[in-house]
Every structure is written in structure tokens, then in C-alpha cells.
């Protein structure tokens, strides 16, 4: 019997007594939840229409400082709503002008540790990693 606390995302097959991989630490569970939220496209969660990543909508916007700040605010609001135990320290964005956004999210887990975690993403029209 394992001491799992969640399901690892992206999904992967395991042969350790179950069908899918599990998370066993709070850090892994929170990281998995962030990946799930920030790679979900609009409409993928049928019963939660507002559970999606704002990054995909921003891919088609003309990049400027206003869009960047709006995107950062929207990402923070989504994380605060769905994963309130995460304290977002900083969001660093890079737009390449070819519909690709590089995002680095620096966060900590409230009441767990003061250590900052970093999550890197690349968003474009063909991938959701």
C-alpha cells in the first residue's frame, strides 16, 4: 500500500500496484496541480468553464506591457482561486513574437516552507507543456 496523496500529471502508467502514477509529497502534489491548471485549455473541463490557462488566449494578442501585466494578474488570480496554498512570488514572461510564451513561475507553498519552487513552461499553438 502506497502513501499517495494525489495523481501525477501529466498522466503516466505505473507498474507499482496501480494504473497511474501518484504523488507522495505535498510539493509534488502542488506542482502537479499547477501543471494541470496552467496547461488546461479553455473548454477542457466541462463542469468548470473557468478552469483554464490564460496563456493560450494571450498567444494571439499583440504583446506589450499592458498585456503582460494583465496576463500575470490573471495567472495569479487563477492560482489563488484553484490552488490557494500557493504563494506566487514572481512570474517572468518572455514573448518571442512568433506566438510562443516562455513562462517561469516562482512560488512557495504556504505554511510548508520558505523555499521557493520554480516551474517553467513553454506555450505555443502546437503544444501544451
Amino acid at each position: 500500500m502506497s502513501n499517495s496523496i494525489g495523481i501525477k500529471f501529466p498522466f503516466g502508467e505505473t507498474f507499482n500496484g496501480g494504473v497511474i502514477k501518484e504523488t507522495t509529497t505535498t510539493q509534488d502534489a502542488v506542482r502537479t496541480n499547477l501543471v494541470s491548471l496552467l496547461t488546461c485549455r479553455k473548454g477542457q473541463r466541462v463542469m468548470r468553464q473557468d478552469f483554464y490557462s490564460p496563456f493560450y488566449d494571450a498567444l494571439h494578442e499583440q504583446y506589450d506591457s499592458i498585456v503582460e501585466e494583465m496576463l500575470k494578474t490573471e495567472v495569479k488570480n487563477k492560482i489563488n482561486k484553484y490552488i490557494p496554498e500557493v504563494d506566487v512570488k514572481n512570474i517572468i514572461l518572455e514573448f518571442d513574437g512568433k506566438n510562443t510564451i516562455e513562462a517561469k513561475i516562482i512560488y512557495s507553498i504556504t505554511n510548508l516552507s520558505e523555499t521557493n519552487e520554480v516551474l517553467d513552461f513553454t506555450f505555443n499553438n502546437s503544444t501544451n507543456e
Side-chain angles (χ1 to χ4, degrees):
M1 187 92 188
S2 69
N3 294 324
S4 66
I5 60 172
I7 297 172
K8 190 165 179 74
F9 186 85
F11 300 122
E13 189 175 4
T14 182
F15 299 103
N16 296 329
V19 178
I20 53 179
K21 291 183 181 178
E22 309 162 331
T23 56
T24 56
T25 66
T26 301
Q27 290 91 340
D28 287 343
V30 167
R31 185 178 194 80
T32 292
N33 291 342
L34 281 169
V35 170
S36 177
L37 172 63
L38 296 175
T39 59
C40 189
R41 292 180 186 253
K42 200 179 276 188
Q44 283 184 317
R45 295 290 299 267
V46 177
M47 299 303 286
R48 287 194 172 168
Q49 292 297 314
D50 65 336
F51 187 93
Y52 64 88
S53 175
F55 286 108
Y56 296 108
D57 291 339
L59 287 173
H60 305 290
E61 296 290 331
Q62 182 66 37
Y63 172 73
D64 61 16
S65 60
I66 295 170
V67 170
E68 182 176 351
E69 288 307 312
M70 287 175 49
L71 180 57
K72 287 179 180 182
T73 300
E74 197 170 341
V75 168
K76 286 179 184 178
N77 289 341
K78 294 277 185 181
I79 292 171
N80 286 337
K81 179 176 183 176
Y82 288 105
I83 314 170
E85 64 271 19
V86 169
D87 180 22
V88 176
K89 302 293 186 183
N90 197 6
I91 299 174
I92 301 167
L93 302 175
E94 290 184 29
F95 292 79
D96 74 349
K98 300 175 187 168
N99 292 341
T100 299
I101 301 172
E102 299 281 338
K104 180 180 286 192
I105 307 205
I106 302 164
Y107 67 95
S108 66
I109 302 169
T110 308
N111 298 326
L112 185 63
S113 73
E114 294 300 317
T115 305
N116 288 338
E117 305 281 336
V118 178
L119 195 55
D120 291 306
F121 289 99
T122 299
F123 297 93
N124 58 46
N125 289 329
S126 63
T127 65
N128 59 347
E129 303 179 1

